[in-house]
Amino acid sequence: MDTLHLIFSKEQVNERIIALGKEITETYKGEQLVVICVLKGAAIFFSDLVRHIDCPLELDFVRLASYGTKTETSKTISFTKDIELGLSGKHVLIVEDIIDTGRTMEFLLYQLAARGAKTIRVATLINKSERREKTIDVDFTGFSISSGFIVGYGLDYNEKYRELPAIYEVQIS
Ligand code: IMP
Ligand code: MG
């Protein structure tokens, strides 16, 4: 049985999304941008967030897989679904569920940097610092935590708990 401890309520999440939407709206000042959802974890955050950004948007989706053997350090990341929009000359905002080691975001930023975007920024629901290996410039953060395994509001543990409306720390037993 897993034990879930509430860390951010539905109301707290909703409040942060509204504030982030405002921050993003003020940053882009009505300019058009491409918002990229990193599937699957960011899907719920993304769909709520885009409805609070008051700028013309184009939406797209990417899915990444990280394959590895036993040791985490041997993991390699690849696209299992690339975005479909061209990014040349556009403002791009990547929306991620959680940044942990930073490897996934570093890979994605490196891949997208070659596509001629005018700017690339990063929004993450959760910025988890304790295991960070790669320096990632996070422009918009929902919540900062140092450690713990987080589920709910899109985040999963073995594909479970994504549908929960609040954010929990899971204790696996
Ligand atoms: P990275 O270590 O920054 O590359 O994060 C890789 C991916 O691991 C994230 O996009 C999440 O999908 C997943 N992940 C990392 N920490 C957690 C967590 O606490 N809960 C759920 N997924 C996590
Ligand atoms: Mg993810």
Side-chain angles (χ1 to χ4, degrees), residues 13-33:
V13 172
N14 192 41
E15 250 177 57
R16 275 307 290 148
I17 305 277
I18 292 168
L20 281 177
K22 274 196 190 133
E23 239 186 273
I24 294 167
T25 301
E26 281 160 20
T27 299
Y28 291 97
K29 297 183 171 62
E31 286 205 66
Q32 178 156 330
L33 62 145

Side-chain angles (χ1 to χ4, degrees), residues 1-13:
M1 263 292 279
D2 306 331
T3 315
L4 304 190
H5 301 281
L6 181 72
I7 56 170
F8 302 112
S9 69
K10 201 166 137 178
E11 292 72 26
Q12 280 174 294
V13 172

Side-chain angles (χ1 to χ4, degrees), residues 86-102:
L87 301 183
S88 181
K90 295 179 182 173
H91 291 295
V92 173
L93 177 65
I94 302 171
V95 178
E96 177 60 299
D97 56 356
I98 185 163
I99 303 178
D100 183 17
T101 63

Side-chain angles (χ1 to χ4, degrees), residues 32-94:
Q32 178 156 330
L33 62 145
V34 178
V35 191
I36 298 175
C37 172
V38 185
L39 294 169
K40 301 180 201 177
I44 293 176
F45 174 46
F46 173 88
S47 57
D48 282 343
L49 183 63
V50 293
R51 285 177 281 179
H52 291 284
I53 304 174
D54 189 14
C55 299
L57 306 181
E58 292 181 282
L59 308 184
D60 210 340
F61 300 84
V62 68
R63 182 139 159 71
L64 301 166
S66 78
Y67 300 97
T69 47
K70 282 174 189 148
T71 58
E72 276 188 58
T73 43
S74 65
K75 280 193 178 171
T76 55
I77 302 165
S78 63
F79 286 99
T80 56
K81 188 218 168 295
D82 201 343
I83 53 167
E84 290 159 22
L85 297 170
L87 301 183
S88 181
K90 295 179 182 173
H91 291 295
V92 173
L93 177 65
I94 302 171

Side-chain angles (χ1 to χ4, degrees), residues 80-152:
T80 56
K81 188 218 168 295
D82 201 343
I83 53 167
E84 290 159 22
L85 297 170
L87 301 183
S88 181
K90 295 179 182 173
H91 291 295
V92 173
L93 177 65
I94 302 171
V95 178
E96 177 60 299
D97 56 356
I98 185 163
I99 303 178
D100 183 17
T101 63
R103 285 191 210 146
T104 305
M105 191 52 72
E106 186 188 59
F107 171 85
L108 189 55
L109 285 167
Y110 177 80
Q111 294 293 326
L112 298 185
R115 301 188 189 185
K118 200 189 284 181
T119 61
I120 303 181
R121 290 188 176 90
V122 174
T124 188
L125 175 66
I126 295 168
N127 195 347
K128 187 163 82 174
S129 55
E130 196 177 74
R131 307 201 306 163
R132 189 67 41 86
E133 292 168 17
K134 310 286 182 185
T135 305
I136 305 291
D137 200 357
V138 182
D139 300 279
F140 308 101
T141 299
F143 301 99
S144 295
I145 61 170
S146 85
S147 59
F149 200 85
I150 306 307
V151 297

